[in-house]
Amino acid sequence: MTSLAQCLPDMYRREPSNWPRIDSDRVLQVLLHNLDGMVFRCAIDANWTLHFVSDGAEALTGYRPEALERSSVVTLESMTHPEDRDRVRQAVDEACRGVGRYRVQYRLQHRDGSEKWVLERGAVVLNERGERVLEGFIEDVTEQLMHQRLLADAELRYRSIFEDSVIGMFQTSTDGRYLAANRALAGLYGYDSPAALIAGLSDIATRLYVDPTRRAAFTEQIRANHRVTDFESEVYRRDGSRIWISENAHAVLGPDGQALYYEGTVEDITAQHTYRRQLEYQATHDPLTGLPNRNLLHDRLQQALNQAQRRGCRGALAFVDLDNFKFVNDSLGHAAGDRLLCEVARRLKTCLRESDTVARYGGDEFVLILGDSDGLSDTLPILHRVQAVVGETMALEGHQLHVNCSIGVSVFPDDGADLSVLLRHADAAMHHAKTLGKGQFQFYTESLNVAARERLALDSALRKAVAEDALHVVYQPKVGARGQVHGFEALLRWDHHAFGSVSPARFIPLAEESGLIADLTAFVLRQACRQAAAWRAAGQTHVRVAVNLSPSLFREKDLAAMIRSVLAEAGLPPEHLELEITEGMLMGDVQRALTVLRELKAMGVFIAIDDFGTGYSSLAYLKRFPIDILKVDRSFVMECDAGNEAVAITRAIVSLAHSLNLRVVAEGVETSGQLAVLNALGCEEFQGYLFARPLAAEAATALLIRAGR
């Protein structure tokens, strides 16, 4: 057999110098013997007369190389399927006229009569005598083609199922874009075509889901489980209407295990969802008034009890009974009585806060849950309002009716910790109110009645104290981790000959309700600024003084002007004043709060958020406001060394605050363990009994002098 190396023209051979230690003939022989396919050289003639073929010819064609060479037994032309011969010759002719290379796929007839699909790649070259010949390689691609056809058939079937399914189907990217959708899904969402859906819903989270957080929940479930099942959400259709859908989807993973995209199905479950909501509503609401019934009342009370326990506050359960309702029923009929009950239910709802609950207990009895109450300052105004609103004239069946109510109140958790006990106590108090003449409210215990009388006396004494400047200011140090004094928080104190040392928790809410808080805040502000100016004049130029602003004062239009006047009067530069506000002051009229804070910041004062973590704001929300300092609420500080969730919350607050370039102050530090944890978390300043109790001005001055030595 002629070797391929001998057949190759000189121009295809490497120079011997490039193969210093390699037997090139041996390398080529081994390569030719082991190739899975046939290497060949043939003439460019009618039969493609073969000059050379490799050993792979037998497996490919069924003929040994010597039977093929010189076309002694069979020719390459005759082995080519008759229907493909012209196409093969055309490919070679184009190579001869053009670039010299060709690539053609065709059917080759095996010696045993079977057919194979082969891929032939070759080139037109010059042989040793300068004659044009073909050299190339033919390999069996039958299996590859079959696999490709199977894939194509499967894809065609899948596409047919995908496009013609009556169920919405989709593919989405992991970042929330539609890659594909079928006609059923486009129709479900109100689009004319899948292409219109893909273009219209460029961001699934914000443009499809009514609740934008649903896409994140969808993604999180798939990441955790690689699929979601019966994922229910409310979505927008193209026309703005809303429907409920159920999604079932899974992640399509790549070789590395990472999600390439998500695919799944969507069904419209609006009818089922509506029916389910109706059943739930009927099970928890009174069919006549639409108010919560006893079932929902029990759940709401349990929530209120849990919240009172967490926050260490109280709540009230009020049992409301309509006076003389039986007279209306008997004289005007049950239909008129039903209308009266519906009107009373409407009026009761207008009296309550959003966090409160009014339920119909049965007959002419209603129950109010007044949660998150600090005492009479919250409860009494609501009860008075209920009596006034229910007692307003009501037109019914051509009559002008006046309906009063008797109310019994039990306080939780003092008077009980479950619905039955609280209802029993409130019912007893309500009956006592009726015996006293109806149209009244009574508490189950005497404690709140006594407190009501005490509150009136306390209000009178506070007004007198404000008029006579009988209150005083103390200063609690704010220190660094090594005990260095950075500043003070100014706190108001009141000592009374009859009430003793009155806690700010008692008289500050009273001042807020009575309208005295503006005078009290102005008093503290003036005292604190004068003292800070005195410290500055004595050489303590680094000290800042912090003053709490009340919500009512924060709403005053001339707040900035008042503070500017106090600073000028005291001769204190604004950078020595820190104003503390609560989260709640920012959550109402956001634009106005932003305007007020910008006015204050323009003056040069520092702004701090007090008791952060107890409200409903977030650091992302606070980023909109010109805030300098966050004070971590003492409830987290007290438990931060216990290794519970409080330290996790504190760590998150500190970390995110620092990401927004905010300074963090921990208040209520009482132990060295708390200090160590808070210092490790990155708090810059600390305040609490571990360092000092609130000090009189003279004691605070002495502390500054000692610290400066």
Side-chain angles (χ1 to χ4, degrees), residues 544-559:
R544 283 205 306 263
V545 65
V547 176
N548 289 281
L549 290 182
S550 69
S552 59
L553 188 63
F554 188 74
R555 292 190 291 267
E556 292 291 331
K557 294 182 179 180
D558 58 350
L559 173 63

Side-chain angles (χ1 to χ4, degrees), residues 44 46 204 212 230 283 293 295 481 504 514 537 571 576 587 647 683-684 693:
I44 303 175
I204 296 174
D230 297 329
N293 62 14
N295 295 329
S514 63
H576 288 269
M587 302 299 290
V647 68
C683 292
E684 286 89 352
R693 290 178 176 272

Side-chain angles (χ1 to χ4, degrees), residues 374-634:
D374 291 327
L376 289 174
S377 60
D378 293 327
T379 305
L380 289 180
I382 295 176
L383 296 177
H384 285 301
R385 190 159 60 248
V386 166
Q387 286 188 313
V389 170
V390 172
E392 291 177 357
T393 302
M394 184 183 308
L396 191 65
E397 300 291 330
H399 300 277
Q400 296 295 315
L401 301 180
H402 294 274
V403 179
N404 293 322
C405 62
S406 297
I407 306 173
V409 184
S410 57
V411 176
F412 57 83
D414 303 42
D415 297 335
D418 62 70
L419 180 62
S420 61
V421 173
L422 289 169
L423 278 173
R424 186 169 65 251
H425 290 170
D427 183 62
M430 182 270 295
H431 283 290
H432 181 56
K434 282 186 177 291
T435 62
L436 295 177
K438 299 184 179 180
Q440 300 186 36
F441 61 82
Q442 289 290 315
F443 288 90
Y444 170 69
T445 64
E446 278 294 308
S447 61
L448 285 180
N449 289 327
V450 171
R453 292 191 294 269
E454 180 183 307
R455 178 178 172 278
L456 291 175
L458 194 66
D459 179 79
S460 177
L462 181 59
R463 291 179 183 276
K464 185 177 180 181
V466 171
E468 296 176 353
D469 286 339
L471 296 97
H472 62 280
V473 176
V474 294
Y475 302 89
Q476 185 167 37
K478 297 165 67 176
V479 304
R482 297 187 180 90
Q484 65 274 31
V485 180
H486 293 170
F488 295 91
E489 180 178 0
L491 302 169
L492 189 62
R493 292 294 183 263
W494 179 26
D495 296 322
H496 189 268
H497 66 278
F499 297 111
S501 180
V502 185
S503 169
R506 290 181 65 192
F507 72 80
I508 292 297
L510 185 62
E512 283 273 11
E513 185 180 343
S514 63
L516 293 173
I517 194 65
D519 293 334
L520 292 183
T521 304
F523 172 79
V524 175
L525 190 62
R526 287 190 174 87
Q527 293 290 323
C529 288
R530 288 171 185 166
Q531 187 58 59
W535 286 330
R536 181 171 178 271
Q540 303 292 344
T541 57
H542 67 286
V543 176
R544 283 205 306 263
V545 65
V547 176
N548 289 281
L549 290 182
S550 69
S552 59
L553 188 63
F554 188 74
R555 292 190 291 267
E556 292 291 331
K557 294 182 179 180
D558 58 350
L559 173 63
M562 187 269 280
I563 292 175
R564 189 179 294 109
S565 173
V566 171
L567 288 171
E569 176 186 321
L572 182 68
E575 61 268 20
H576 288 269
L577 176 62
E578 184 178 306
L579 298 175
E580 295 187 4
I581 61 176
T582 61
E583 293 178 71
M585 298 186 196
L586 306 177
M587 302 299 290
D589 188 343
V590 174
Q591 191 55 47
R592 188 186 178 284
L594 189 59
T595 300
V596 172
L597 291 180
R598 284 174 176 169
E599 288 180 11
L600 296 175
K601 281 300 297 177
M603 292 166 51
V605 302
F606 287 82
I607 306 295
I609 298 296
D610 196 16
D611 299 333
F612 186 80
T614 59
Y616 299 94
S617 64
S618 65
L619 285 170
Y621 184 83
L622 293 179
K623 188 177 181 181
R624 303 173 57 186
F625 298 95
I627 306 299
D628 305 295
I629 301 163
L630 283 188
K631 297 187 71 175
V632 181
D633 182 68
R634 65 179 65 248

